[in-house]
Amino acid sequence: MNPNPILELYGIPTDTPQQDWVTLINAAKCPFLNDRCRKARKSDSTATIGTCSVRHSQRDIVICPYRMLEQHLVFRNCIPLLQPKEGDDVHVVSEIQVTGGSVDYCLVSVRQHEIVNFIGIELQAVDTTGSLWPYRQRFLQPNDSASNLAGSFGINWKMSAKTILIQLLHKTRTFEEMNKKLVAVFQTHLFDYLRNEFQFDHLPEAESIHSLHIHVYNFQRSSTSYTLQFHEQYGLTSEYIAKSLGLRREGSAELDSLTRRLARKISPSNRLLFDEA
C-alpha cells in the first residue's frame, strides 16, 4: 500500500503541486456539494475529514457518496429515464423519505409547475474500518511528531454490500409499487464485489420493465485529477434482490404521499441546468 493512501482531500488530489492545503482545510468545503464537507470525525463532530477517495489493495476507491456528484454526471445520465418533453424543467431534490428509509436524491420532471414524473437515485460508497485521521494528519504535517501516530484502516466490503442490498430491496419495492424507477450508482470495485459475493449471475441489461437500474462508474486518474466515467448499466427487480438475500416479498405503496413531499421541495435553486456541461 502507498505510504499515504489518501488520494483526495476536499476534492483535490493529494499529489497536486503547490496546493495551499491550509486554506483548503480551513474552508472545509466539498466542491461536489458546493457546501461544507459532511464527513465529520466521530470523536469531534466539529472537525471535517474531507477524505473523498483512498488507495487500498492496489485499487482507487471512493469512500464518500458525495464524491460521485462530480459535474452532475450521475444526474445527467438518469434524465432519459424521466422521458421529459421539450420545455420540461428537471429538478434535483435531496433526501426524500420513502418506505424503507430515505432516498438520496429524486430527479423530478416539472411541466407548467406540475410534477409529471420522477425517479429515485441512490449513491453507493463503501465504509472504512479503523481510522484515516492519522494518515490525513501525516500528509498535512509530515514533520510534526504528533502526526506520526500509528494508524490503520480497511474497507468494509462485506457489511457495506449487505447493507446496501437490504436497503435497495426495501426501496425498490416501494418504487415498483409506484411504477417508478430507482437508480443505484456504484463504483466498479464495489459493484464487482457485490456481484461476486451475492452471486448475481447473468445480469440483464437495463430495460423499461426493470424497476431498479444499476449505473456503474469507473473512477480513474486523468492528467490532473480523478474522474468518473460511465462504464455499464443493468436492470433488476426487487424479486431478484430478495432471491439473492433469501427473503420473501412484502411492501406498500405511497405514490401520492411522495409526490406531495417532492412538490414541497421543488424550487428554482434545485433546477438542473443544462449549460454546465
Side-chain angles (χ1 to χ4, degrees), residues 92-103 106 108 115 118 174-175 178 252-267 270:
V92 179
V93 180
S94 62
E95 298 178 2
I96 290 291
Q97 291 294 319
V98 299
T99 301
S102 65
V103 177
C106 278
V108 187
I115 292 176
F118 64 85
T174 296
F175 276 77
M178 295 187 295
S252 61
E254 57 168 24
L255 176 58
D256 291 342
S257 176
L258 179 53
T259 301
R260 289 194 296 271
R261 291 197 292 277
L262 286 170
R264 288 195 293 268
K265 288 198 170 189
I266 293 296
S267 72
N270 57 35

Side-chain angles (χ1 to χ4, degrees), residues 16-238:
T16 301
Q18 299 181 330
Q19 173 65 41
D20 182 357
W21 292 107
V22 173
T23 299
L24 190 75
I25 298 302
N26 289 337
K29 184 177 180 179
C30 169
F32 311 108
L33 285 170
N34 196 28
D35 201 353
R36 184 174 175 82
C37 172
R38 295 180 186 175
K39 290 179 71 70
R41 288 194 74 189
K42 293 179 181 178
S43 60
D44 181 5
S45 60
T46 64
T48 62
I49 298 174
T51 305
C52 311
S53 59
V54 297
R55 181 78 169 168
H56 187 272
S57 300
Q58 299 183 333
R59 290 179 286 190
D60 296 342
I61 300 170
V62 174
I63 62 171
C64 177
Y66 300 116
R67 174 62 184 84
M68 307 187 85
L69 296 178
E70 174 192 321
Q71 296 183 349
H72 290 167
L73 182 63
V74 295
F75 298 140
R76 297 179 187 279
N77 287 334
C78 289
I79 288 176
L81 292 173
L82 278 178
Q83 298 180 323
K85 292 185 177 180
E86 186 175 356
D88 288 358
D89 289 333
V90 177
H91 293 254
V92 179
V93 180
S94 62
E95 298 178 2
I96 290 291
Q97 291 294 319
V98 299
T99 301
S102 65
V103 177
D104 293 334
Y105 294 92
C106 278
L107 202 63
V108 187
S109 180
V110 177
R111 185 180 307 150
Q112 296 179 349
H113 308 293
E114 294 289 335
I115 292 176
V116 292
N117 200 6
F118 64 85
I119 62 172
I121 301 174
E122 287 280 277
L123 307 178
Q124 310 296 343
V126 294
D127 294 326
T128 57
T129 60
S131 176
L132 280 164
W133 189 260
Y135 295 101
R136 177 190 190 275
Q137 296 306 95
R138 197 173 302 154
F139 168 74
L140 295 172
Q141 303 169 1
N143 297 320
D144 188 338
S145 59
S147 71
N148 292 321
L149 297 174
S152 64
F153 83 101
I155 302 296
N156 199 351
W157 294 107
K158 188 171 184 178
M159 185 57 67
S160 295
K162 187 170 184 179
T163 300
I164 286 168
L165 269 187
I166 292 173
Q167 291 177 348
L168 283 180
L169 172 62
H170 294 309
K171 295 171 187 178
T172 300
R173 285 172 171 170
T174 296
F175 276 77
E176 273 179 346
E177 292 165 356
M178 295 187 295
N179 197 28
K180 300 296 181 183
K181 307 297 184 188
L182 178 65
V183 178
V185 179
F186 287 87
Q187 184 191 358
T188 309
H189 298 314
L190 175 56
F191 188 69
D192 285 347
Y193 178 89
L194 185 149
R195 179 163 50 187
N196 294 331
E197 183 74 12
F198 292 91
Q199 298 181 346
F200 279 10
D201 298 323
H202 309 298
L203 286 171
E205 293 185 6
E207 298 180 11
S208 59
I209 61 172
H210 295 121
S211 47
L212 176 64
H213 287 231
I214 304 292
H215 287 189
V216 184
Y217 288 79
N218 290 327
F219 178 69
Q220 55 197 29
R221 183 63 191 258
S222 67
S223 58
T224 59
S225 64
Y226 291 90
T227 60
L228 293 173
Q229 184 178 52
F230 189 80
H231 178 56
E232 57 190 357
Q233 61 181 336
Y234 300 101
L236 300 178
T237 63
S238 64

